[in-house]
Amino acid sequence: MNIVIFGPPGAGKGTQSKFLVKKYNLHQLSTGDLLRNEIKNKTKLGLEISSIMNAGELVSDKIVGNLIEKFIANDNFKNKIIFDGYPRTLTQAKNLDNLLNKYKQKIDIVLKLSVSLETVIKRILDRRDQEDRSDDNESTAIKRYKTYEKSSETVLDYYNQSNLLKVINGETSVSEINIEISGLIEAIKG
Ligand code: AMP
């Protein structure tokens, strides 16, 4: 089973992905984590993307596309991936379908966590105290939310058309969201 977890920054995608990884023996593919690693390791790519990420904007479709293929091609992860933070644009969504197709896989469900800007800001400021992320401050959080709003609609329409999209209220507690997501996954597992 391959899952896409979708939603604005601070929606709880990472938290819920970690729960799904354990419960269903999956592997989390967070493009944000992969990109942060590049910055941490001061690679050429890391230097190129740090100002974009700190401005709350999206890194190019080509860069993130290159990062995910390695994962999809790896037999150990076959049909066991949670895409966390990818795709974020329609081009990425189509690229993901092409790549999965190439490796004889598909997406089984798209989980969208809906949360308001107010909640996002509160969560991001809380998270700043626990994680050391240079893009977790109020003005970048607002910018990231706006970036999400601009590009998310076409992606959601795309998945809605293929009947893969499930919308979850991300304002409730972590455990309530866990339960709702588990129910949706059990239903498709049959
Ligand atoms: P995240 O950890 O998913 O909140 O991502 C943090 C930042 O990494 C985003 O604000 C973007 O700058 C960049 N990023 C992560 N995933 C993508 C993606 N799929 N496409 C473009 N940029 C991305």
Side-chain angles (χ1 to χ4, degrees):
M1 178 173 40
N2 289 318
I3 298 173
V4 169
I5 190 149
F6 198 86
K13 299 188 296 289
T15 306
Q16 294 300 328
S17 295
K18 288 186 177 69
F19 149 80
L20 294 172
V21 160
K22 269 208 194 122
K23 183 156 183 182
Y24 297 105
N25 189 24
L26 302 171
H27 300 272
Q28 179 186 9
L29 196 180
S30 157
T31 42
D33 283 350
L34 293 178
L35 294 167
R36 277 185 289 281
N37 255 338
E38 297 287 331
I39 294 176
K40 201 170 108 202
N41 296 330
K42 298 194 167 59
T43 63
K44 189 167 164 278
L45 176 62
L47 293 172
E48 201 182 314
I49 61 177
S50 71
S51 58
I52 301 172
M53 282 177 70
N54 284 331
E57 283 162 12
L58 292 183
V59 170
S60 79
D61 292 333
K62 190 154 175 254
I63 289 175
V64 277
N66 288 339
L67 289 175
I68 65 161
E69 181 158 4
K70 260 201 302 269
F71 251 83
I72 296 173
N74 186 333
D75 252 356
N76 294 325
F77 304 150
K78 191 165 185 178
N79 282 318
K80 288 184 186 165
I81 306 177
I82 302 181
F83 295 92
D84 163 10
Y86 190 96
R88 270 173 150 97
T89 65
L90 184 59
T91 305
Q92 291 181 16
K94 290 183 176 170
N95 184 40
L96 180 58
D97 274 350
N98 288 336
L99 279 176
L100 288 172
N101 216 359
K102 180 171 164 191
Y103 295 98
K104 310 265 177 295
Q105 300 180 60
K106 65 175 172 60
I107 296 164
D108 295 286
I109 192 166
V110 177
L111 302 166
K112 185 211 166 190
L113 297 173
S114 286
V115 285
S116 67
L117 175 59
E118 207 187 353
T119 304
V120 162
I121 291 172
K122 189 181 171 306
R123 287 190 188 161
I124 283 183
L125 296 182
D126 286 349
R127 180 167 71 185
R128 189 178 49 181
D129 300 332
Q130 291 149 29
E131 295 174 21
D132 187 23
R133 275 182 59 161
S134 56
D135 60 349
D136 274 351
N137 57 68
E138 186 162 350
S139 65
T140 311
I142 294 170
K143 178 71 192 50
R144 282 157 65 208
Y145 191 89
K146 301 279 177 217
T147 302
Y148 166 81
E149 279 191 320
K150 230 191 310 173
S151 59
S152 61
E153 207 170 311
T154 51
V155 180
L156 293 170
D157 281 350
Y158 182 73
Y159 287 129
N160 205 13
Q161 275 164 28
S162 45
N163 268 332
L164 290 170
L165 183 65
K166 302 287 173 201
V167 181
I168 295 138
N169 177 5
E171 300 277 345
T172 58
S173 69
V174 171
S175 58
E176 279 172 291
I177 299 171
N178 277 182
I179 293 168
E180 192 174 345
I181 289 180
S182 300
L184 292 167
I185 291 178
E186 295 301 329
I188 59 158
K189 277 174 74 189

